[in-house]
Amino acid sequence: MRLDDLRQLLITASHTVTEEYTRLFHGRGNTYGAYRFLTIDSVDKVLFAVLFDADNEEEAIIAMLRDLYTAKGKWEALIIQQRYLPSAPSTLIAGVLPQETFAIENTLKYRINFQSAQNIGFFPDMKIGREFIREHAKGKNILNLFSYTCSFSVVAMAAGANAVVNVDMNKNVLTIGRDNHRLNGLDTKQVEFMPYNILKSWSRIRKSGPYDLIIIDPPSFQKGSFAATSDYEKIIRRLHEFTAEECIVLSALNAPELESEFIKTLFRENAPEFRYIERLRNLESFPEIEEERSLKNLVFKKVTTT
């Protein structure tokens, strides 16, 4: 793929842009043979590109995006984030950043911040996972582990969940999560926000159980707090302590180096009462040349034996 090909691809993709969060180009899946360091999104009224590595074509890419931004007139601002630099700075290249910008998905809104380090507060590749929760949340008591800014909780409460417990050791993201509920007119009386290290807080987590639906969506590695290779197992081993009889678990992992069999094995060895049901498909807008390197959303269901 050359720059001209990328330009044409973006022009075509931009025809269908709405207010919904849309991935216009996903180079990270290596399906285009080039620009593996680049993603480009339409986020509400912002054209947002992320450069994960330094590249000789960076200036040419930014110039092309500026031309696209000007020609299309669909966005109010163009922002470039350089993830390869310390603190991952985001730079306003053109336009004026709206006072408030939201990630909009299936009519629900999530507050985002282009100035935050690395992640802006929303993971668009998890859309299928959120839709799964929306379909299964009604009347359920839900545990949302590694909740981040609580998008799963917002979806669940909007779908009629009985209660949701959000657990994340970062108080700041939980504050944003609380705001995301209010932003969508959702009552938080039945929503808990626990700013705890999950691996050290099982007694607190158990108190609000048992849970009918559990979401496990950890980072693959977070220095000093979580490593999927060694810590994911610790969560699976504890499930029997706070799960309802027919509990469903959405077990997620976004680690290219770990295949879905890694999670399946953890359940077989540490929670054999759970049966593997399916792996949720990923969005077509996030193509991956090797499927096992992409986001893994695995569904398990507790089977009661008599």
Side-chain angles (χ1 to χ4, degrees):
M1 173 177 273
R2 297 175 301 176
L3 189 62
D4 231 24
D5 300 319
L6 176 60
R7 179 187 294 109
Q8 289 304 315
L9 188 153
L10 290 172
I11 290 172
T12 300
S14 67
H15 292 326
T16 59
V17 163
T18 65
E19 65 177 8
E20 289 254 330
Y21 197 121
T22 304
R23 174 62 47 103
L24 300 176
F25 179 77
H26 184 71
R28 301 285 284 167
N30 297 334
T31 56
Y32 295 98
Y35 304 119
R36 299 174 181 177
F37 56 88
L38 178 66
T39 63
I40 303 169
D41 295 330
S42 176
V43 189
D44 198 358
K45 299 177 178 64
V46 175
L47 181 60
F48 178 54
V50 180
L51 299 158
F52 288 84
D53 299 305
D55 188 85
N56 292 333
E57 278 198 280
E58 181 170 320
E59 289 187 11
I61 291 170
I62 293 174
M64 180 271 292
L65 289 171
R66 185 193 290 269
D67 290 343
L68 178 72
Y69 160 82
T70 302
K72 287 296 177 182
K74 290 176 176 286
W75 303 283
E76 295 180 8
L78 167 62
I79 294 177
I80 305 293
Q81 184 183 47
Q82 294 165 298
R83 283 283 287 268
Y84 61 88
L85 293 178
S87 75
S90 291
T91 303
L92 179 66
I93 302 298
V96 177
L97 186 64
Q99 188 171 2
E100 290 187 308
T101 306
F102 307 105
I104 302 172
E105 181 184 275
N106 293 326
T107 73
L108 295 174
K109 294 182 177 182
Y110 307 89
R111 198 173 300 280
I112 58 176
N113 180 7
F114 289 108
Q115 299 307 316
S116 63
Q118 297 195 351
N119 300 313
I120 62 174
F122 184 78
F123 294 109
D125 56 345
M126 191 54 86
K127 181 178 182 179
I128 299 297
R130 283 186 287 268
E131 290 178 343
F132 176 85
I133 296 302
R134 181 185 65 192
E135 292 166 6
H136 293 82
K138 189 173 182 178
K140 301 292 178 59
N141 193 26
I142 298 174
L143 174 62
N144 185 19
L145 298 176
F146 306 97
S147 61
Y148 194 46
T149 55
C150 305
S151 62
F152 277 116
S153 181
V154 169
V155 167
M157 292 305 295
N162 181 53
V164 182
V165 173
N166 297 289
V167 190
D168 197 293
M169 66 187 301
N170 187 331
K171 291 183 179 180
N172 292 331
V173 296
L174 287 177
T175 297
I176 297 170
R178 192 186 298 273
D179 190 34
N180 281 335
H181 286 77
R182 293 170 177 163
L183 181 64
N184 290 282
L186 298 170
D187 192 344
T188 58
K189 289 178 182 177
Q190 297 302 317
V191 184
E192 290 186 65
F193 302 90
M194 294 186 176
Y196 305 133
N197 182 323
I198 291 166
L199 300 178
K200 299 178 180 179
S201 306
W202 298 118
S203 60
R204 293 188 180 100
I205 291 170
R206 277 196 300 269
K207 285 181 181 179
S208 296
Y211 301 99
D212 307 297
L213 181 56
I214 297 176
I215 302 140
I216 308 172
D217 184 20
S220 59
F221 180 78
Q222 200 167 60
K223 189 176 180 180
S225 63
F226 189 87
T229 50
S230 58
D231 294 329
Y232 213 125
E233 176 182 351
K234 298 173 184 176
I235 298 172
I236 307 304
R237 252 191 326 223
R238 293 275 191 167
L239 288 177
H240 70 278
E241 299 178 13
F242 45 80
T243 52
E245 284 190 6
E246 296 185 352
C247 178
I248 294 174
V249 175
L250 175 62
S251 182
L253 184 62
N254 201 352
E257 71 279 8
L258 296 174
E259 298 186 350
S260 54
E261 188 59 34
F262 167 75
I263 299 177
K264 292 179 184 179
T265 300
L266 292 183
F267 272 84
R268 280 197 301 268
E269 294 180 352
N270 300 282
E273 67 274 23
F274 280 87
R275 184 178 73 242
Y276 170 68
I277 303 299
E278 63 175 325
R279 177 179 176 179
L280 303 182
R281 65 180 176 86
N282 285 320
L283 293 169
E284 292 182 2
S285 53
F286 288 78
E288 172 61 62
I289 197 168
E290 296 179 49
E291 185 61 22
E292 279 298 327
R293 292 181 61 83
S294 65
L295 170 64
K296 288 161 275 286
N297 276 320
L298 305 187
V299 178
F300 297 84
K301 186 172 183 179
K302 191 174 183 180
V303 179
T304 52
T305 57
T306 56

